[in-house]
C-alpha cells in the first residue's frame, strides 16, 4: 500500500495531465482570433511641372498628388467593365486629360473639379499622351505640353480628368498643387503625371 503522500502526488500529476490535455484540445479545436489576409491596393501619383521660356527651362516642380474620390470610383468601374463589357453603363474609355488651374484652394479628395480651371490663351483641357508603361512596376506615365498664346497669371494647380468636357463636375481623378508661376506668350508648360499601383 502506497503512502498517502505518494497517492496525493500521483493524483496531482494525473490532474495536471488531464487539465493540460483539455486545455490543448480546447485551444486547438476553437480559434478565438480569425485568420485574415491583409492585402491592400494603393494608388499613388507623382507630378512634374516644367515651364520653358525662349528655349530655357525657367521653372521645375515635382511632388505627389491627391487621388480624388471620383478617381478611385473611375478606377473601380474600369476594373469591373473590363471584364463585363456588355454592361458598360459608365465608360471611362481610358482617356487621360490634363488641366491647369490658378486657385489657391487646397486639395480635398471630395472635390469634383479644379476650383478655378484655366481655359483660355491656349491653356485648356488637353488629352495626355501615354509616354511610358512599365508592366513590371505597375507604372503609367502621362505627359502633355501647353503653349500659351498670351499671359496667364498664377498657374499653380494641375488636374487629371477622364473627360475633355469641363461643363460637368465628373471625371476628376487627381490633383496637384505647386508654387505659383506666371506664363507669357509662347511659354510652354509640360505636365508629366506618373501613376503607380502598388
Amino acid at each position: 500500500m502506497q503512502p498517502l503522500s505518494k497517492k496525493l502526488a500521483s493524483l496531482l500529476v494525473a490532474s495536471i495531465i488531464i487539465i493540460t490535455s483539455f486545455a490543448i484540445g480546447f485551444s486547438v479545436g476553437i480559434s478565438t482570433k480569425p485568420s485574415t489576409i491583409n492585402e491592400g491596393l494603393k494608388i499613388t501619383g507623382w507630378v512634374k511641372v516644367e515651364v520653358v521660356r525662349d528655349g530655357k527651362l525657367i521653372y521645375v516642380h515635382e511632388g505627389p498628388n491627391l487621388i480624388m474620390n471620383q478617381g478611385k470610383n473611375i478606377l473601380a468601374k474600369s476594373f469591373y467593365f473590363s471584364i463585363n463589357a456588355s454592361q458598360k453603363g459608365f465608360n471611362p474609355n481610358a482617356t487621360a486629360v490634363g488641366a491647369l488651374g490658378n486657385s489657391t484652394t487646397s486639395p480635398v479628395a471630395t472635390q469634383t473639379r479644379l476650383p478655378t480651371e484655366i481655359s483660355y490663351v491656349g491653356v485648356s483641357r488637353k488629352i495626355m499622351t501615354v509616354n511610358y508603361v512599365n508592366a513590371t512596376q505597375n507604372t503609367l506615365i502621362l505627359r502633355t505640353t501647353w503653349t500659351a498664346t498670351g499671359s496667364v497669371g498664377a498657374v499653380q494647380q494641375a488636374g487629371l480628368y477622364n473627360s475633355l468636357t469641363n461643363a460637368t463636375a465628373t471625371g476628376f481623378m487627381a490633383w496637384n498643387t505647386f508654387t505659383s508661376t506666371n506664363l507669357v506668350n509662347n511659354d510652354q508648360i509640360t505636365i508629366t503625371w506618373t501613376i503607380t499601383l502598388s
Side-chain angles (χ1 to χ4, degrees):
M1 189 170 177
Q2 293 182 354
L4 182 59
S5 58
K6 287 188 176 181
K7 286 185 178 180
L8 288 175
S10 299
L11 183 60
L12 182 60
V13 170
S15 299
I16 291 172
I17 293 172
I18 293 170
I19 291 170
T20 303
S21 300
F22 179 80
I24 292 172
F26 183 81
S27 63
V28 170
I30 300 175
S31 175
T32 57
K33 186 176 181 181
S35 62
T36 58
I37 298 174
N38 184 14
E39 183 175 335
L41 176 66
K42 185 168 68 172
I43 312 165
T44 57
W46 189 263
V47 180
K48 184 175 183 179
V49 182
E50 301 168 281
V51 177
V52 174
R53 179 175 298 164
D54 298 327
K56 295 181 180 180
L57 186 65
I58 63 168
Y59 176 86
V60 177
H61 158 84
E62 288 193 64
N65 65 203
L66 174 67
I67 301 295
M68 313 309 292
N69 290 350
Q70 285 190 353
K72 295 174 184 177
N73 191 36
I74 289 167
L75 182 61
K77 288 181 177 179
S78 297
F79 284 146
Y80 173 76
F81 290 120
S82 68
I83 57 174
N84 294 277
S86 62
Q87 301 184 44
K88 288 189 178 180
F90 174 90
N91 181 16
N93 66 40
T95 302
V97 175
L100 296 171
N102 52 15
S103 170
T104 58
T105 302
S106 297
V108 179
T110 54
Q111 283 286 122
T112 55
R113 64 175 77 183
L114 289 176
T116 307
E117 188 174 325
I118 301 168
S119 57
Y120 51 91
V121 296
V123 183
S124 57
R125 287 196 192 192
K126 190 173 182 181
I127 294 177
M128 304 188 82
T129 302
V130 178
N131 283 82
Y132 178 72
V133 177
N134 188 327
T136 62
Q137 295 182 5
N138 308 314
T139 300
L140 173 68
I141 298 178
L142 307 166
R143 182 177 289 117
T144 194
T145 298
W146 292 266
T147 300
T149 58
S151 296
V152 185
V155 181
Q156 54 195 309
Q157 295 181 343
L160 183 64
Y161 291 84
N162 78 327
S163 172
L164 274 171
T165 304
N166 63 2
T168 57
T170 58
F172 193 19
M173 302 175 71
W175 183 349
N176 176 264
T177 59
F178 47 93
T179 304
S180 176
T181 184
N182 298 319
L183 304 180
V184 300
N185 188 40
N186 289 326
D187 277 359
Q188 290 188 314
I189 180 167
T190 299
I191 300 292
T192 304
W193 218 299
T194 303
I195 305 295
T196 302
L197 298 178
S198 60

